[in-house]
Amino acid sequence: MPDVIGEYGGYALLVLSALAAAVGIVAQTVAARRTEQRDAVDPGILVRLATDRVYLFGFGSQVLAFLARATLPLYIVQAGSSSAVGLAAVIGLVVLGWRVSGREIAALGVLAVGLLLLVGAAESSVAAPMPPALGFGLLAALLAVVALAFPAARIPGAPGAVAMGALAGVAFAVLALCGRPLAAGPLLELPLQPLAWLMVASALVGQALLAAALQRSSTTVAAASMDATTVVLASVLGVTVLGDQIAAGRGWWVAAGLTLVVAAVVAMAVVGRPSREQLPAPVAGVAA
């Protein structure tokens, strides 16, 4: 799989995944707000959203990032994916009439600089095998996320969106860490890998929590809290445990790049707040 994709193929997949994820965030926002909001952990939200083709597109558009992890370190893949929150704001401006302020544009500029630093420091490599202890640790982390989701679900408004988004970010960090060694293939053997089932479980948990976060506040608040959490956790563990490579002498590029990316997505959450009137109205006939 890595030989087929190659380094440049990995970057192409990453760019496509960021664009698709941006469309997916907007699609998931539209779909999540069409379904009923409940002040409790609601696994049934995925069942209801599964009947919404818009949401399914948003979910499926994120598969490309998995393939990019076959050759690229997690710090560049997750940072690239996090740029989707900014791209989603632009798509929302064009398609749904969201307002994009000068401060949001400035945040996008900071995000771009951070991504350039990470691209300059990245070295293509296949991940080291997942240590069993880390696999059990990731399982424990996912179970902790599920447990913490119950009190977080009772927090209303933007604080609840941040809490649910951050928990979704932990779940997606588990997904990213599982996916890094699995993406190298062989893909046909994925159903036989326990790590693949943990990846699927983390995807379902993360999607349910992200959908709940999107119901509570703006897209940028929910997505930024999720992305900031995922980028930091996945990047640090990718380098320290899975053997992600950094170009010689450019470790500080990665540190600076990650700092700028996280700062930018957090800034998008602070300044990017489309008003409630701009949000799509419920659509009759959609399951709730």
Side-chain angles (χ1 to χ4, degrees):
M1 186 67 166
D3 293 337
V4 174
I5 293 177
E7 180 177 3
Y8 295 110
Y11 280 114
L13 285 171
L14 183 57
V15 171
L16 289 174
S17 72
L19 291 172
V23 176
I25 288 173
V26 176
Q28 287 171 302
T29 303
V30 174
R33 287 173 180 153
R34 285 171 167 173
T35 194
E36 178 186 358
Q37 178 178 337
R38 300 178 182 178
D39 296 327
V41 175
D42 181 18
I45 191 172
L46 291 181
V47 177
R48 298 195 303 276
L49 290 174
T51 64
D52 194 313
R53 287 173 293 180
V54 176
Y55 184 84
L56 291 178
F57 172 80
F59 182 83
S61 66
Q62 300 172 41
V63 174
L64 291 169
F66 170 76
L67 298 175
R69 294 184 188 109
T71 57
L72 297 179
L74 287 179
Y75 57 80
I76 184 64
V77 174
Q78 299 312 129
S81 296
S82 74
S83 68
V85 67
L87 295 174
V90 176
I91 293 172
L93 167 69
V94 175
V95 178
L96 300 177
W98 294 353
R99 290 193 295 269
V100 178
S101 67
R103 290 178 295 178
E104 288 178 280
I105 294 173
L108 289 174
V110 172
L111 181 64
V113 173
L115 289 173
L116 288 174
L117 285 172
L118 292 173
V119 169
E123 282 202 350
S124 177
S125 64
V126 176
M130 175 76 71
L134 178 59
F136 285 112
L138 294 177
L139 174 59
L142 187 62
L143 293 175
V145 165
V146 173
L148 291 171
F150 287 91
R154 293 193 289 269
I155 304 174
V162 171
M164 299 296 276
L167 289 173
V170 177
F172 285 126
V174 172
L175 184 154
L177 289 160
C178 292
R180 175 76 165 112
L182 289 174
L187 298 182
L188 292 179
E189 294 182 7
L190 285 182
L192 304 177
Q193 303 290 333
L195 206 59
W197 291 103
L198 178 57
M199 183 176 68
V200 170
S202 62
L204 293 175
V205 171
Q207 287 293 337
L209 296 178
L210 174 59
L214 290 170
Q215 289 180 323
R216 285 163 169 76
S217 187
S218 73
T219 302
T220 48
V221 168
S225 61
M226 175 191 73
D227 283 332
T229 303
T230 303
V231 167
V232 172
L233 290 178
S235 299
V236 170
L237 290 174
V239 171
T240 58
V241 180
L242 296 183
D244 284 354
Q245 300 297 306
I246 300 173
R250 295 187 178 180
W252 70 272
W253 288 33
V254 174
L258 289 175
T259 299
L260 291 176
V261 167
V262 170
V265 295
V266 171
M268 288 293 296
V270 173
V271 302
R273 297 175 182 270
S275 66
R276 206 64 181 167
E277 290 75 15
Q278 293 176 300
L279 300 178
V283 177
V286 177

